[in-house]
Amino acid sequence: MSTASAASTAPGDAEVHTLVIDTDPGADDVIALLFALASPERLKVQALTTVAGNVPLSKTSRNARLACEWAGRPEIPVYAGAQRPLQRTPIYAANIHGREGITGVEVHEPATPLAEGHAVDYLVGMLRAAPEKSVTLAMLGPQTNLALALAQAPDIVRGLRELVLMAGAHFNGGNITPVAEFNVFADPHAAEAVLKSGVPITMLPLDVTHKILTSDARIARLRQLGNEAGRIVADILDAYAPQEMKHYDMPGGPVHDATVTAYLLQPSLFRGRRINVEIDSREGMGFGQTVADWHGSLKRSANVNWIVDGDAQGFFDLLTERIARLP
Ligand SMILES: [Ca+2]
């Protein structure tokens, strides 16, 4: 794909989103957050909600506030959410994201504290008060918070416009088991509840994130921006990319969650298909698998816009242009 100039005129590429970002930072989450917070004219970020995932909740909640601080947006409220998955034993991914949850950069306690209240209560209250189909929810970690909110207040689907998830794997295979992607494996019962919600869903699985890879030149451009945010993103990627490249024998590292931000800003960079997707939540080898019926074999109704391909250079051009706007 190399249709960046034609793509920039596509209708979705100018849409404005009232946005809440549910996240478990996470090295790639931090990049996704900086990317989103650099785009206030298009992404009206109301709040961040955090969930246990890559690292425990106390660290994802601190890292989310750090991302706001680094973006020069400390006024964005951060609500801490679920400390553990709905049913399964908690798992983390500190082997990939480091003990503090962000590779390659020093962390500190941010000046701005957490917002008062639980993320699930925030989501319920916020979505009940929102106009019909008005709020986009970007989901960058295990989907526990929304699953809890839906169980507590099923009427909140009314306020939701779309869910955009970094989740799942089909053609690529998994990254935590041979068939499961981490966010779904970390709470498959939550993913199941979210997929059954009836809200329009776009999923960016490993099928696409493993096609949008760093290179030395792409990281160097971010570093050469000369601002603090560019240095942070480059430092994170310099530390994060090599381990993924080694494990998967890939020529560059993926920036998984940041594809969600790119999709919200410029959906024409991506290509997918509306298909039926279901979650295997049974104990066993398939636990956490996204069963993606790409060819429609099951003749079940489509519930997900499943993204399989993206314009990698277009992604890095957009990321770099936006990160350049930050402090
Ligand atoms: Ca994440």
Side-chain angles (χ1 to χ4, degrees):
M1 292 178 72
S2 58
T3 53
S5 59
S8 65
T9 60
D13 293 355
E15 281 184 30
V16 174
H17 290 271
T18 299
L19 185 67
V20 175
I21 307 177
D22 189 61
T23 179
D24 67 331
D28 55 322
D29 299 74
V30 170
I31 298 172
L33 294 171
L34 293 174
F35 194 3
L37 294 171
S39 310
E41 77 289 357
R42 294 279 313 287
L43 304 180
K44 309 289 185 191
V45 179
Q46 307 296 302
L48 310 184
T49 54
T50 60
V51 62
N54 288 316
V55 284
L57 184 70
S58 60
K59 290 184 178 178
T60 62
S61 301
R62 177 202 60 202
N63 294 346
R65 289 179 292 133
L66 269 178
C68 293
E69 188 174 293
W70 287 331
R73 303 284 304 280
E75 78 284 3
I76 304 273
V78 178
Y79 295 90
Q83 295 213 31
R84 50 162 299 134
L86 297 184
Q87 297 181 30
R88 71 158 0 270
T89 311
I91 58 156
Y92 306 106
N95 56 323
I96 297 291
H97 297 265
R99 279 171 52 92
E100 298 303 326
I102 318 177
T103 51
V105 290
E106 288 287 318
V107 297
H108 61 266
E109 181 62 24
T112 310
L114 281 169
E116 284 201 22
H118 194 284
V120 173
D121 295 330
Y122 166 76
L123 286 172
V124 170
M126 192 270 182
L127 292 169
R128 278 186 170 157
E132 192 173 350
K133 295 180 182 162
S134 65
V135 179
T136 301
L137 187 55
M139 307 187 73
L140 311 181
Q143 295 93 25
T144 318
N145 285 335
L146 181 59
L148 288 168
L150 288 166
Q152 185 180 318
D155 57 294
I156 60 171
V157 297
R158 186 180 163 282
L160 285 165
R161 166 179 165 182
E162 184 179 9
L163 310 176
V164 183
L165 283 64
M166 191 281 125
H170 177 63
F171 295 106
N172 181 87
N175 63 354
I176 184 83
T177 78
V179 296
E181 178 278 328
F182 177 84
N183 288 341
V184 178
F185 185 76
D187 197 346
H189 305 97
E192 244 178 347
V194 167
L195 285 191
K196 286 178 180 158
S197 67
V199 179
I201 295 174
T202 291
M203 285 174 82
L204 291 117
L206 300 181
D207 300 354
V208 61
T209 67
H210 277 205
K211 290 176 180 169
I212 297 181
L213 302 176
T214 61
S215 67
D216 289 346
R218 287 168 176 168
I219 296 175
R221 265 179 81 204
L222 285 155
R223 188 177 299 287
Q224 286 157 8
L225 292 173
N227 60 352
E228 185 70 359
R231 182 192 63 77
I232 289 168
V233 173
D235 283 349
I236 290 173
L237 290 174
D238 271 338
Y240 179 77
Q243 47 186 355
E244 298 259 301
M245 291 162 68
K246 182 160 179 271
H247 187 74
Y248 297 102
D249 194 21
M250 293 190 297
V255 202
H256 305 289
D257 292 341
T259 63
V260 169
T261 308
Y263 177 83
L264 291 169
L265 290 170
Q266 198 171 335
S268 62
L269 289 173
F270 296 91
R271 188 176 62 80
R273 185 190 284 182
R274 291 195 47 75
I275 61 169
N276 180 264
V277 179
E278 301 196 16
I279 307 293
D280 189 348
S281 61
R282 301 167 302 173
E283 291 291 338
M285 289 294 277
F287 188 68
Q289 181 173 10
T290 39
V291 181
D293 191 9
W294 183 254
H295 297 290
S297 312
L298 299 173
K299 311 245 180 298
R300 295 183 186 175
S301 58
N303 57 348
V304 169
N305 175 32
W306 182 267
I307 305 295
V308 288
D309 204 359
D311 175 350
Q313 190 55 48
F315 168 89
F316 281 97
D317 288 346
L318 183 61
L319 173 67
T320 306
E321 181 234 307
R322 296 299 162 128
I323 296 298
R325 298 170 164 196
L326 294 176

